[in-house]
Amino acid sequence: MDEGKTLKIRLTFSVILVGISLMFAAVVTDHWAVLSHRVEHYNSTCEAAHFGLWRLCTKQFYIQDKATKERSCGLITLTGDRNCSYFKHFSPGQSTEIFERTTQKEYSISAAAIAIFSVGFAIIGTICILLSFRKKMDYLLKPASMFYTFAGLCMIISVEVMRQSVKRMIDSKETIWIEYYYSWSFACACASFVLLFICGIALLLISLPPFPQNPWESCMDAEPEH
């Protein structure tokens, strides 16, 4: 492997590491979406929630600003009592009251499972690319690029499943939530998809042998048959 090709691979791998970091940040945090219900009376308790793939947190605080035009709780960064719990299908000992009121079990399990596949593909791809730096093992670059591409695709599928889950929560008449917005964990997941998918394809192109400039070059260089 020549020095120019090695430099391109190292630069691409550096960007991939950023994408993997964003992916891990999205998977382990619980700020994918923030929900709030309608506020009918000010100077009353308002409940808002934010959740991720594994855990949901709720906050209760008081609304005192009568000049506020919005009829929702507002930003969840406001101070207040915070209560977090893991979804029951991931921790059987936890209470399911909050979970039953907010999200769909099938969507939550699907998004988490697909995200785990994304993490697995990224780990296998990293092992392959680290081994490819050894002599005569650059053939591992092609499977590494495919694993990174698959990791990006799995992450964007998990994002879409989570988006559908939030949409169903807002549209359902059985929940109290009327407004939502996606938070920084959701943005990390989207950014990781872009970096992993693009860099995976770039790594595949880098690992391919150079195309001959002359169409007859490959034929002329072929060894004669004995």
Side-chain angles (χ1 to χ4, degrees):
M1 189 184 304
D2 56 69
E3 295 183 359
K5 186 175 182 179
T6 303
L7 179 60
K8 293 178 182 178
I9 293 173
R10 292 184 183 275
L11 290 176
T12 305
F13 184 52
S14 299
V15 180
I16 288 175
L17 290 179
V18 176
I20 294 176
S21 301
L22 292 173
M23 179 187 64
F24 275 105
V27 171
V28 302
T29 54
D30 48 29
H31 286 77
W32 283 63
V34 179
L35 309 171
S36 62
H37 64 77
R38 181 178 295 276
V39 177
E40 298 295 342
H41 304 284
Y42 293 107
N43 293 327
S44 61
T45 301
C46 183
E47 183 179 15
H50 64 86
F51 68 97
L53 298 174
W54 323 99
R55 193 175 69 162
L56 181 142
C57 297
T58 59
K59 265 188 176 182
Q60 291 185 351
F61 46 87
Y62 290 98
I63 302 296
Q64 298 178 351
D65 188 5
K66 295 183 179 181
T68 303
K69 297 181 180 180
E70 296 182 357
R71 304 299 294 177
S72 62
C73 294
L75 296 176
I76 202 170
T77 53
L78 297 176
T79 58
D81 298 329
R82 180 181 177 184
N83 182 24
C84 297
S85 63
Y86 289 92
F87 297 143
K88 184 180 179 181
H89 45 271
F90 299 124
S91 54
Q94 296 283 349
S95 172
T96 60
E97 180 180 359
I98 298 177
F99 174 73
E100 294 296 338
R101 287 189 294 128
T102 54
T103 187
Q104 305 292 332
K105 180 178 179 179
E106 295 80 7
Y107 280 86
S108 177
I109 295 177
S110 300
I114 297 172
I116 291 176
F117 276 109
S118 180
V119 172
F121 284 137
I123 292 175
I124 298 174
T126 302
I127 294 174
C128 290
I129 200 170
L130 290 177
L131 292 175
S132 69
F133 289 137
R134 296 184 178 181
K135 293 182 179 180
K136 298 181 179 181
M137 296 189 70
D138 55 345
Y139 59 89
L140 291 175
L141 290 174
K142 294 182 182 67
S145 64
M146 299 306 298
F147 282 126
Y148 286 131
T149 304
F150 291 152
L153 290 175
C154 287
M155 183 54 61
I156 197 61
I157 294 174
S158 181
V159 166
E160 178 60 23
V161 172
M162 180 64 71
R163 195 182 68 84
Q164 293 296 327
S165 175
V166 174
K167 186 176 182 298
R168 285 193 62 179
M169 280 187 283
I170 299 300
D171 295 340
S172 176
K173 297 181 180 180
E174 299 178 358
T175 62
I176 62 175
W177 315 114
I178 63 168
E179 292 188 2
Y180 71 96
Y181 63 89
Y182 298 110
S183 191
W184 57 270
S185 297
F186 188 88
C188 287
C190 295
S192 68
F193 155 70
V194 174
L195 295 180
L196 291 175
F197 185 79
I198 294 178
C199 291
I201 295 178
L203 187 62
L204 177 62
L205 296 176
I206 295 173
S207 63
L208 293 175
F211 293 99
Q213 297 180 355
N214 189 340
W216 298 100
E217 182 179 340
S218 57
C219 297
M220 298 293 293
D221 293 340
E223 296 182 359
E225 296 181 0
H226 296 288

